[in-house]
Amino acid sequence: MEHRGLGWPRLPRLLELLAALAVQALRASAIAAASPDLRLWPMPLSVQTTPRVLHLSPDNFVFSHSPTSKAGPSCSLLQEAFRRYYDYIFGFYKWHHGSADLRVGVELKQLQVSVVLDPECDTFPKISSDESYTLLVRGPVASLTANRVWGVLRGLETFSQLIYQDFYGTFTVNESNIVDSPRFPHRGILIDTSRHFLSVKSIFKTLDAMAFNKFNVLHWHIVDDPSFPYQSVTFPGLSKKGSYSSSHVYTPNDVRMVIEYARLRGIRIVPEFDSPGHTQSWGEGQKDLLTPCYNGKEPSGAFGPINPIWNTTYSFLSKFFKEISTVFPDEFIHLGGDEVDFDCWASNPEIQDFMRDKGFGRDFKKLESFYMQAVLDMISAINKNSIVWQEVFDDASKLMPGPVIQVWKVEDYTQEQSKVTEAGFPVILSAPWYLDWISYGQDWKHYYAVDPLSFEGSQEQKKLVIGGEACLWGEYVDATNLSPRLWPRASAVGERLWSHKDVRGLEDAYRRLTIHRCRMLRHSCLLFPLSVDGITTLQFTKTCIFDFPFSTSKL
Amino acid sequence: MAGSTLWFSLLLAAAFAGRATALWPWPQYIQTSERRYTIFPYSFQFQYHVSSAAQVGCSVLDEAFQRYRELLFGSVSFHFPQPMGKWHTSEKNSLAILVVTPGCDQFPSLESVENYTLTVNDEQCLLLSETVWGALRGLETFSQLVWRSPEGTFYINKTEIEDFPRFPHRGLLLDTSRHYLPLASILDTLDVMAYNKFNVFHWHLVDDSSFPYESFTFPDLTKKGSYNPATHIYTAQDVKEVIEYARLRGIRVLAEFDTPGHTLSWGPGVPGLLTPCYSGSHPSGTFGPVNPALNNTYEFMSTFFLEISSVFPDFYLHLGGDEVDFTCWKSNPDIQAFMKKKGFGEDFKKLESFYIQKLLDIVSAYGKGYVVWQEVFDNKVKVQPDTVIQVWREEMPVRYMKEMELVTRAGFRALLSAPWYLNHITYGPDWKKIYMVEPLAFEGSPEQNALVIGGEACMWGEYVDSTNLVPRLWPRAGAVAERLWSNKMVTNLDFAYKRLAHFRCELLRRGVQAQPLSVGYCDMEFEQT
């Protein structure tokens, strides 16, 4: 299997061995997606199933901790997950019927979960978190083994996807043996809460759906030009004056809830505070932060990017990012750095003087790099790592090692990947996955066909690609259309980043994704039922506005 | 109507008169002022004027009053003390509705008069209309005029509106075959249509993919042709409910049963109806369009459309007739023999015409009028002069405006849909393109222009079901609604943007999942349930 990334410790021995063996022995079955009735999404690394079926009864089935597991009932992350997956598997059914008697056959009574190493129950997921797991389904006790709870979460999702209702409505699962681990460690979704505000509830729903697709990073583009919904404790004026309204804000408590909700699903929250451009909304609450633009000799009244020449700018940013680094537990902060417009800087006489003093000439990219390097250093100083958009690399004459570069420009993006990795920087790929760009028809196929390693470069370079992100920018998206625009289109990216590179057959993907969409519809209904009594299947599809049918098909 | 110069200046004046900018679609004539009246939600009433032909017991209006009360003030009760004494002139406690022509129990038709005048001034608060349908349109306008101050007080400004639709047929097509839409989705859509003053629900009920319409003469059609005969069907009761729900909102239901193509789902339930395709000298096992060479076909159609004619009260039925694929007909030896016998040569358009003409004869015999897709005209089927031709193809065989010219020059009435396929999505504010279409922008005489009875926004279902229907429809379909209702000169995009953005927030307030037009926010955002 492929290992990539930033030099975090390799998979602990046991699982690595297992995985390697599995790839050797079983790859063919998974890759050819041989078993035509596999319903899994994304496709695991290796799957063996037999025609032998087991039955499950909602009344008898339990998730349990193996006696040898390093995690037990005190691991609330797992307890919560057990309840969640029990509901996903049986909840829908229980509303409609009573409990059914099992028909003849072997019953599956338990899924025994075993965590091999320190479970990391109370920690936050990291880029180096081990998500691998093995799942052995056989009666009467199935087992799910993983090094950490993160692998258990992924395995529970797979387990829930294996179960189906047979013709008589009996919960059924085929005996199976699954060994799985992700191809890339960074599998993200970007949401934009500045152009349109998204309620915490909408974010929760997105996190749920991400877990169904084994995504593990929510890239929260929290502020931008149009509004500043993040409520800062240090600088409350930012959201007070920069948000759309006092109800369009994320309070510290909201942010904590999002982080915890994500953690329980093995999802990291990477916050983005984009600067020096895309900062119009900062200006309202923080005087003398943005550059005053000039019209000839007079200030025009308009403002440009953050002013990179004043000390006050850096003392503000230093305090601000100090807060951010404590509020958001992830080791990464996204610093933006994209699309800096130089016109306003160029118009400002003070900046012109500064350029001259620094010997930058007329090259505003030097000024941009000067600013970005200062912010990058600030972040290193508070022991965090940075992610930046590709311009920070493109515009720098020599960028100091450290940041991860996110490639987003669709023109020649494979060349950009070559350049960035050649210079030794880790890469996150987004360019082909801007889901806000909509078109008629089955565009998921294009997202699916992308391979993140299709650029020219050495093996060493390719290992620097730590993953990718599907981006849903908010110009035309809010809570009304977020879910149907994301799902199942983002699922295509989800499988591309999780599954083996040879899993690319479109026909099989279509078949599995159709099933997966219906499954997501059911699950999303369970999360926020409108009312329990008298609800019918039809009302379900009506009330659970959730995802996007990608072709003519029955539900 | 006032001269256009005067009218336009009124439009601009009104544009800056506060709350009036919230109106969608824009009325034909409007005058408003800064003078405003307070409305007390707990005592406000809709009342029949003493001289009104419609009085309490008029279902259409009784229910509309309830609906609009709730839309305006919500169902929450207001715990304010009843103010004592007489009403001040600065307060309004009722809207009087005066309908001139009696009739509350009939169905709306193409000929229904939707005119109304709305007067809110010191002396009166009056909605005057020829028919109940006009009153419905006026009530919608009234509901859009009422606004709320940040402190929560309801107001309406002094206003004079004289309004009527530019086109009598303002439709929206939903496709319930490619994806089934739950009844509630359809009913909700009818509500939002009424907010936009649409008046025709074109129900593309069945197609190749599935046959959800439950026929009582041929129950096998649904049993074998629906996605799921237990859940993915429309029962007779469902259909009745849709028709009545639409009627109460002044909306006609135009049912489409598309033949001879787009009929694969009919096949399993009616053996022998579809043409068996041949591979060489053997049937290939696949089927093509309805078989036009058999008498059984026409007997079936005759019985089937007898049912349809009685189930759907509207004078018009939509008979489809689009995209007939000739390859299967060509492959079938029986059809070849039939062609020879009829002297059609190799011209399968003649066979298509033969079928369509027989079908039209059947349907006319039931006293119905019909709408057909443009191919029926393009392929020179002889149709009755009162046939309505729906123009849907953007480029072929000619540009759609040219097609409008040809259809009307031949003396047929035309419906425009080609530029309004809302299922086609692109990045960005595509509503502008939809909005800027001028349905009469073809070369033709005033008589030809008069033959354009309106248009329809179409939401085909290949990629649409109840998960994404609403945000994909609204507010984009609103652009079509205003184009079909408002004066031809209402084309200013900035003015439209302001009102449409406001209207979409109003839709959110009313619980409609309407998607954003651009960056920004609404005071009341959509809450996911």
Side-chain angles (χ1 to χ4, degrees):
Chain A
M1 65 178 280
E2 302 158 286
H3 261 287
R4 51 194 69 269
L6 305 164
W8 54 83
R10 300 190 134 235
L11 270 183
R13 282 235 160 267
L14 169 75
L15 269 179
E16 188 173 6
L17 228 109
L18 261 173
L21 275 173
V23 175
Q24 301 268 319
L26 311 172
R27 183 186 277 180
S29 68
I31 290 162
S35 177
D37 50 355
L38 264 186
R39 311 155 53 82
L40 303 177
W41 191 278
M43 183 61 94
L45 188 61
S46 90
V47 183
Q48 272 187 327
T49 63
T50 78
R52 279 192 301 279
V53 295
L54 310 169
H55 299 300
L56 297 81
S57 143
D59 294 333
N60 297 338
F61 179 82
V62 289
F63 293 101
S64 65
H65 298 278
S66 152
T68 59
S69 177
K70 291 272 167 56
S74 66
C75 179
S76 61
L77 182 144
L78 288 185
Q79 296 301 108
E80 292 269 337
F82 290 172
R83 183 175 61 186
R84 208 161 59 237
Y85 279 100
Y86 181 89
D87 280 346
Y88 288 151
I89 295 168
F90 301 115
F92 182 69
Y93 165 85
K94 280 183 72 175
W95 289 353
H96 295 278
H97 318 278
S99 59
D101 286 331
L102 273 192
R103 296 180 309 117
V104 287
V106 185
E107 185 175 354
L108 177 62
K109 293 190 165 166
Q110 242 185 76
L111 176 66
Q112 215 171 55
V113 170
S114 182
V115 182
V116 176
L117 303 175
D118 169 23
E120 302 182 348
C121 268
D122 301 311
T123 68
F124 290 95
K126 299 195 289 276
I127 188 157
S128 55
S129 290
D130 185 346
E131 296 172 291
S132 60
Y133 66 92
T134 61
L135 179 61
L136 189 61
V137 179
R138 63 180 174 206
V141 178
S143 67
L144 169 59
T145 310
N147 283 329
R148 315 282 186 187
V149 289
W150 317 118
V152 176
L153 291 174
R154 304 297 167 245
L156 285 171
E157 176 59 35
T158 304
F159 177 71
S160 75
Q161 294 187 8
L162 283 172
I163 295 163
Y164 56 95
Q165 283 180 271
D166 71 5
F167 189 76
Y168 301 98
T170 310
F171 293 98
T172 309
V173 64
N174 288 63
E175 281 192 353
S176 325
N177 186 358
I178 292 175
V179 179
D180 200 8
S181 66
R183 183 177 173 203
F184 296 100
H186 185 112
R187 306 180 306 280
I189 298 276
L190 176 147
I191 55 167
D192 169 2
T193 56
S194 172
R195 293 181 173 92
H196 285 98
F197 182 80
L198 297 171
S199 68
V200 168
K201 207 165 167 183
S202 289
I203 297 176
F204 284 173
K205 280 214 118 178
T206 305
L207 289 165
D208 284 324
M210 285 172 68
F212 302 153
N213 292 277
K214 297 190 168 71
F215 276 103
N216 66 355
V217 178
L218 180 70
H219 175 166
W220 192 355
H221 187 86
I222 193 164
V223 303
D224 204 297
D225 285 330
S227 77
F228 197 103
Y230 171 79
Q231 208 175 67
S232 161
V233 178
T234 330
F235 301 100
L238 285 169
S239 62
K240 206 170 196 177
K241 299 194 175 149
S243 70
Y244 280 136
S245 86
S246 50
S247 61
H248 293 82
V249 293
Y250 301 105
T251 64
N253 194 47
D254 289 339
V255 173
R256 265 196 302 274
M257 286 199 306
V258 168
I259 292 168
E260 180 62 9
Y261 198 92
R263 186 187 81 83
L264 291 173
R265 285 151 186 79
I267 297 171
R268 301 160 49 209
I269 301 288
V270 174
E272 176 178 353
F273 288 88
D274 191 353
S275 74
H278 290 281
T279 48
Q280 288 294 309
S281 69
W282 303 46
E284 305 291 326
Q286 191 62 26
K287 290 288 162 247
D288 301 330
L289 177 65
L290 303 186
T291 309
C293 315
Y294 277 67
N295 201 341
K297 287 204 168 85
E298 301 297 323
S300 69
F303 292 89
I306 282 182
N307 193 327
I309 68 169
W310 291 331
N311 288 335
T312 50
T313 294
Y314 298 99
S315 59
F316 161 77
L317 287 174
S318 169
K319 279 186 214 136
F320 181 76
F321 278 113
K322 191 139 203 174
E323 171 183 329
I324 298 310
S325 72
T326 59
V327 168
F328 293 92
D330 202 78
E331 64 194 288
F332 286 91
I333 296 175
H334 201 302
L335 299 176
D338 58 320
E339 300 183 307
V340 184
D341 178 16
F342 297 146
D343 293 346
C344 182
W345 280 351
S347 77
N348 181 300
E350 278 189 68
I351 294 202
Q352 292 160 6
D353 292 346
F354 185 84
M355 294 280 287
R356 202 172 311 122
D357 293 350
K358 289 278 176 190
F360 291 165
R362 296 289 299 163
D363 188 356
F364 286 91
K365 288 182 181 176
K366 287 190 174 143
L367 183 60
E368 179 194 7
S369 298
F370 170 84
Y371 170 87
M372 284 312 302
Q373 197 58 58
V375 180
L376 286 166
D377 292 345
M378 211 179 271
I379 300 304
S380 310
I382 47 179
N383 292 317
K384 293 273 185 178
N385 294 318
S386 304
I387 305 173
V388 289
W389 297 107
Q390 71 179 70
E391 286 96 321
V392 175
F393 171 82
D394 296 345
D395 293 354
S397 48
K398 186 160 180 8
L399 185 62
M400 302 292 279
V404 175
I405 310 297
Q406 187 160 8
V407 173
W408 69 275
K409 295 187 171 182
V410 76
E411 303 80 25
D412 305 322
Y413 71 85
T414 53
Q415 277 180 38
E416 178 78 4
Q417 283 178 292
S418 300
K419 273 191 237 163
V420 174
T421 53
E422 195 175 6
F425 290 93
V427 163
I428 294 169
L429 180 64
S430 284
W433 292 324
Y434 267 37
L435 302 193
D436 52 317
W437 288 89
I438 51 170
S439 59
Y440 183 72
Q442 300 195 42
D443 51 2
W444 70 274
K445 292 182 177 174
H446 302 295
Y447 308 139
Y448 192 74
V450 170
D451 191 277
L453 303 186
S454 65
F455 62 91
E456 281 185 37
S458 64
Q459 278 308 109
E460 292 309 305
Q461 276 175 268
K462 304 217 164 171
K463 282 180 186 167
L464 284 168
V465 177
I466 62 171
E469 289 181 3
C471 299
L472 191 63
W473 294 100
E475 281 85 348
Y476 302 102
V477 176
D478 71 2
T480 62
N481 56 359
L482 173 77
S483 286
R485 201 154 287 191
L486 259 183
W487 311 107
R489 294 160 79 224
S491 303
V493 182
E495 174 151 301
R496 183 54 54 239
L497 294 172
W498 178 278
S499 301
H500 191 275
K501 68 176 165 57
D502 295 340
V503 178
R504 31 191 333 109
L506 269 181
E507 214 172 295
D508 184 61
Y510 176 81
R511 184 187 61 77
R512 285 182 296 114
L513 192 50
T514 305
I515 297 167
H516 186 55
R517 166 179 116 89
C518 291
R519 184 164 51 219
M520 288 199 287
L521 267 179
R522 277 201 313 276
H523 287 186
S524 71
C525 299
L526 278 168
L527 296 169
F528 297 104
L530 269 191
S531 71
V532 177
D533 352 337
I535 202 155
T536 72
T537 318
L538 296 188
Q539 281 166 332
F540 260 96
T541 52
K542 145 79 186 131
T543 52
C544 300
I545 304 301
F546 184 67
D547 67 357
F548 165 91
F550 50 103
S551 178
T552 307
S553 64
K554 61 164 130 184
L555 260 176
Chain B
M1 197 177 81
S4 61
T5 328
L6 170 63
W7 178 88
F8 196 67
S9 63
L10 281 170
L11 181 151
L12 286 178
F16 300 103
R19 173 68 194 193
T21 54
L23 292 176
W24 192 274
W26 191 246
Q28 298 286 349
Y29 170 90
I30 175 168
Q31 216 173 4
T32 74
S33 85
E34 289 300 326
R35 179 155 173 71
R36 67 187 189 186
Y37 309 98
T38 311
I39 290 176
F40 293 103
Y42 49 87
S43 57
F44 181 85
Q45 284 179 1
F46 296 103
Q47 283 175 335
Y48 293 97
H49 192 277
V50 283
S51 345
S52 174
Q55 290 295 338
V56 176
C58 172
S59 57
V60 173
L61 292 183
D62 282 356
E63 297 219 7
F65 293 170
Q66 266 188 22
R67 259 190 340 263
Y68 280 105
R69 242 201 94 75
E70 181 152 346
L71 280 178
L72 279 169
F73 310 122
S75 47
V76 285
S77 48
F78 291 85
H79 300 286
F80 293 110
Q82 186 81 14
M84 304 299 287
K86 284 192 72 88
W87 292 97
H88 295 279
T89 50
S90 62
E91 295 159 3
K92 294 291 174 196
N93 69 337
S94 67
L95 173 69
I97 286 88
L98 199 166
V99 177
V100 175
T101 311
C104 289
D105 303 320
Q106 78 283 43
F107 289 93
S109 70
L110 180 63
E111 291 75 29
S112 292
V113 177
E114 294 170 292
N115 302 23
Y116 68 92
T117 63
L118 182 61
T119 310
V120 181
N121 58 28
D122 287 5
E123 288 75 41
Q124 52 183 352
C125 188
L126 176 71
L127 171 58
L128 170 69
S129 68
E130 183 63 36
T131 66
V132 290
W133 315 121
L136 288 176
R137 305 296 167 244
L139 282 169
E140 176 56 38
T141 303
F142 177 80
S143 77
Q144 295 185 14
L145 284 173
V146 175
W147 55 281
R148 209 170 177 186
S149 71
E151 296 76 34
T153 315
F154 291 91
Y155 291 107
I156 188 163
N157 284 53
K158 185 178 171 189
T159 307
E160 177 76 40
I161 289 177
E162 207 180 312
D163 202 9
F164 51 87
R166 183 175 173 208
F167 295 102
H169 184 120
R170 305 179 306 281
L172 176 65
L173 175 148
L174 293 185
D175 168 4
T176 56
S177 171
R178 292 179 173 96
H179 284 95
Y180 178 80
L181 294 173
L183 188 63
S185 282
I186 295 176
L187 301 183
D188 289 351
T189 301
L190 289 167
D191 275 318
V192 192
M193 285 174 69
Y195 305 157
N196 285 273
K197 296 188 169 70
F198 274 112
N199 67 354
V200 179
F201 168 43
H202 177 165
W203 193 353
H204 188 84
L205 265 157
V206 303
D207 204 295
D208 285 333
S209 315
S210 78
F211 198 104
Y213 170 80
E214 196 173 62
S215 159
F216 52 83
T217 22
F218 299 100
D220 275 356
L221 280 168
T222 334
K223 232 176 241 162
K224 300 187 177 164
S226 67
Y227 280 137
N228 179 332
T231 56
H232 289 55
I233 58 167
Y234 302 105
T235 64
Q237 185 54 39
D238 292 341
V239 172
K240 261 191 214 140
E241 200 175 328
V242 168
I243 293 168
E244 178 62 8
Y245 200 91
R247 184 185 82 84
L248 290 172
R249 284 151 186 80
I251 296 170
R252 300 161 49 205
V253 176
L254 174 63
E256 177 177 355
F257 287 88
D258 191 355
T259 66
H262 289 280
T263 47
L264 284 179
S265 70
W266 304 45
V270 188
L273 178 66
L274 301 186
T275 310
C277 314
Y278 275 66
S279 181
S281 55
H282 294 283
S284 68
T286 63
F287 293 90
V290 163
N291 191 332
L294 301 177
N295 281 337
N296 284 348
T297 294
Y298 300 102
E299 280 165 29
F300 165 81
M301 289 296 169
S302 182
T303 317
F304 181 74
F305 276 102
L306 180 61
E307 170 183 333
I308 299 307
S309 304
S310 69
V311 167
F312 293 93
D314 200 79
F315 175 68
Y316 290 91
L317 287 176
H318 201 301
L319 299 177
D322 58 322
E323 299 184 305
V324 184
D325 179 13
F326 295 147
T327 45
C328 182
W329 279 351
K330 276 181 194 163
S331 77
N332 182 301
D334 295 339
I335 303 259
Q336 290 159 7
F338 185 77
M339 292 280 285
K340 204 168 297 156
K341 190 174 119 199
K342 289 282 174 188
F344 292 163
E346 283 297 300
D347 188 355
F348 284 87
K349 286 183 182 176
K350 286 189 176 149
L351 183 60
E352 183 190 3
S353 299
F354 173 83
Y355 169 83
I356 298 266
Q357 274 173 31
K358 293 199 74 156
L359 180 68
L360 297 185
D361 289 345
I362 290 167
V363 173
S364 338
Y366 297 139
K368 290 281 186 182
Y370 36 78
V371 184
V372 290
W373 296 108
Q374 72 175 75
E375 283 94 326
V376 173
F377 170 79
D378 296 342
N379 293 349
K380 305 191 171 51
V381 178
K382 264 194 219 97
V383 292
Q384 292 181 3
D386 62 346
T387 304
V388 178
I389 310 290
Q390 188 162 9
V391 173
W392 70 277
R393 308 191 68 166
E394 277 203 281
E395 300 281 348
M396 294 295 288
V398 290
R399 293 273 307 158
Y400 68 85
M401 274 304 164
K402 184 73 185 169
E403 181 81 4
M404 293 292 281
E405 181 192 327
L406 296 176
V407 168
T408 53
R409 192 191 295 155
F412 293 108
R413 286 173 300 167
L415 275 176
L416 181 63
S417 283
W420 292 326
Y421 267 37
L422 301 189
N423 52 309
H424 287 149
I425 51 170
T426 53
Y427 181 75
D430 60 353
W431 69 271
K432 294 182 182 175
K433 217 176 122 202
I434 296 167
Y435 185 75
M436 290 313 283
V437 172
E438 167 47 49
L440 302 185
F442 57 86
E443 284 186 34
S445 62
E447 289 73 27
Q448 276 176 265
N449 285 351
L451 286 170
V452 178
I453 59 172
E456 289 185 0
C458 298
M459 185 58 81
W460 295 99
E462 282 87 346
Y463 303 102
V464 176
D465 72 2
S466 64
T467 62
N468 57 358
L469 172 72
V470 181
R472 199 158 287 194
L473 262 184
W474 313 109
R476 293 162 76 227
V480 181
E482 174 153 304
R483 182 55 52 236
L484 293 173
W485 178 279
S486 302
N487 190 283
K488 175 178 184 162
M489 301 184 59
V490 181
T491 53
N492 182 298
L493 273 177
D494 293 332
F495 184 51
Y497 173 76
K498 275 195 200 99
R499 287 180 299 114
L500 193 54
H502 191 290
F503 182 58
R504 111 112 179 153
C505 287
E506 174 62 13
L507 290 179
L508 286 187
R509 199 187 65 80
R510 295 183 183 193
V512 181
Q513 197 179 350
Q515 71 179 8
L517 292 171
S518 177
V519 171
Y521 73 102
C522 297
D523 287 328
M524 202 176 284
E525 300 284 6
F526 177 76
E527 250 320 311
Q528 217 148 12
T529 48

